[in-house]
Amino acid sequence: MNLPANVGTPVRVSQALILVIALFSQNDLLNGVESLSLGRPTSYRGSDRFSKISRLQWKFASILRISQGLLNVFCSFILSIQSETVFDVVLNVMGVGFVSGLDDVAFHLAGSGYFGGKVKRSAKDIEHGDFVRERYYGQMSCLVGLKKSFHTIVAFSVLGLAIFFFTFLSIQQNNGVYTLQNLHVIIGDTEIPYLGLLNGCYEATNEIFNQRIVYKQVGSVGIKDAEFYYCPNLWNGRGAWELGIEHTSYIPRCALSAGGNMISEATTAYDLMDVASDRWHFDEEYTLADSFDIYETNDCKDFFDGRYVRSFNDCRIVQSETSVPMYLVQNEPADGNIYSNTATSHAVYASSKDVIEEETDIIFFTGRRWVLTTAAQIGFNGSDILEYLSTYEMHWSFSSDWVTLISEDVLRGPSDYYPFGVQWYYPDLVGQTYLPAADTSRPAPTLECARCSPDTNQCTFGTCNRTTRICECQHNETGALCQNLPLGNGICDEFFNEDMRRLRYFSDSRQDMKLDYDGGDCCGSTCTQSHCGNGALETLFGASLEVEISKQFIGYQKCKNEQMAVLLLQIIPLPTASDVHMPPFEVQCGEGNVTYLRTPLFLTAAPEALQSERIMVPCGVNCQMRIEGISFSTGVDRIRLLLEGQSLVDGTDQNGTDTLLLERTIPFDEDMKW
């Protein structure tokens, strides 16, 4: 019937008065009942056209008039009970009266000839005709009196019936029956962090407070008894709706001294939805800039069950690169009913598969953000964490230091169902209550679903084992999905030694992955670790190196970078040498004297097996080559350093020392000659 939630006393009185006026102003109803009860007249004075009217025709005409009158009274009743102001009551009933009088207007126009001469004559015949009833001889006087007063009896009966339904509906309104029963509330938390705990479903209670229904939050996980109610004296004597928390006998509702409450604009509305789009305020002094939205929802249980994701079993383990695995807590109780709660209608994870102890990490949803905490921090020492999270009495009285990590705002995205793939932060505990803010200057590692799927949760690298649902990393990757690559760790991994790689099985930002040549690990000029190049040489001048010996050498044979110059280091053997005994040497470039090649040991090789050693260095840097123990070398004629086929250094002159130090600058372009 689209009835308002409730109305004030002036409106209620005007509705009752209008019903009486509407009923007794309906001549069609009253005259129709009278003509039907008295029956057809005994004679007719006027045109012969109506002198032979039958009883059936008379009754039919009377019933039509009664029907029209009842319809008008019914419309007046409905429109008046749907009105929320006195003005609306009067306006609606006047509209019905106007419509019900249109037949009189039409009859007047017909008698004036607007619809033709024939219609005009018929209207005049009706207007001047006179139906006459003779005295009721032979009938009992009581029956005659009953017929004459029957229309009065019917009128008061209709009035009594209208008053009955009017009273019934008024009582129903006062009891909140026609008030919206379930609300979905979404409140921003960037200004006041704990307001995020007030997000969720609110259910109408049986309590009436200041003639308005009271709504209480269903399944809170951080606030005790958050509720909407109406206060008549908030804005300098004007009323407003309030969203309050933690009311006790010492801090009653509508007490401004309580603090921490949300207040609507000044209003007399009986329906909370009438102020849903208004600006809300934190107490009376601060206007909330964050969003404050109220929506209609059918049922709080449907609200929570509808958000329950049946595909949780596809991700029973989540883990970050630094955390221990977190296991999905079974959140389908034995009876098959889902707990109607903000936390338990989402995934709940714990770091223990079986018994939850004090130090067990727990992840759950708080209404707008995910939190990571421990069982001890939320006071849990029982056996059923889901049952504990579904109670109102959880940690409402705690300070904000119960949170270890807190996620970004995920309410409007798909990640409000599960905690992985969102950004996590360390909490900002300064000056906060109930729930801390996220310290965006201190990000924490992101959680990832540790159960892979070839279709929905693919491994970044490696392969997904279809049996165990675990990613098998093959190139020193780490993480549940092999998503943490060994880039920039000082060890050259040839699999990642390229600038960019396209991952075709991803459709998001991961599709084009920047590898930057293994994070720079494969080149001397870009590697940043202290152990760069150690053990990276597999051969030297064509000769194979044993693994243990190679650990003492430094080199970057796998360096690939088109922006660098290529140096070729050659050892020229003596024509008569059967073996070449190579001395230790070192090539350094740049201001920091970065080592690009170092051989700390004498090596022996056959002359015919010697090959050029390839070294890549940045263009324009200053390089030097130091050769030690030349006098102890055998079979060596000279050592040459070449740049793309040009001879830069011919190391034949020892200058009377056992150490040869040659220094040259690598040219920037091909036009520079040596």
Side-chain angles (χ1 to χ4, degrees), residues 6 14 33 37 55 71 106 134 201 242 283 347 426 444 488 494 509 545-546 587 626 642 651 658 661:
N6 206 345
S14 65
V33 173
S37 62
R55 292 180 182 274
L71 180 60
E134 301 295 339
C201 197
E242 183 175 75
D283 295 333
Y426 290 95
E494 195 169 5
S509 59
L545 297 178
E546 296 181 2
V587 177
R626 182 187 301 273
L642 305 178
D658 194 44
L661 179 61

Side-chain angles (χ1 to χ4, degrees), residues 357-362 372-380 402 404:
E357 301 177 344
E358 290 187 354
E359 65 275 10
T360 301
D361 291 328
I362 298 173
L372 184 147
T373 183
T374 64
Q377 285 175 310
I378 60 175
F380 174 70
W402 62 274
T404 304

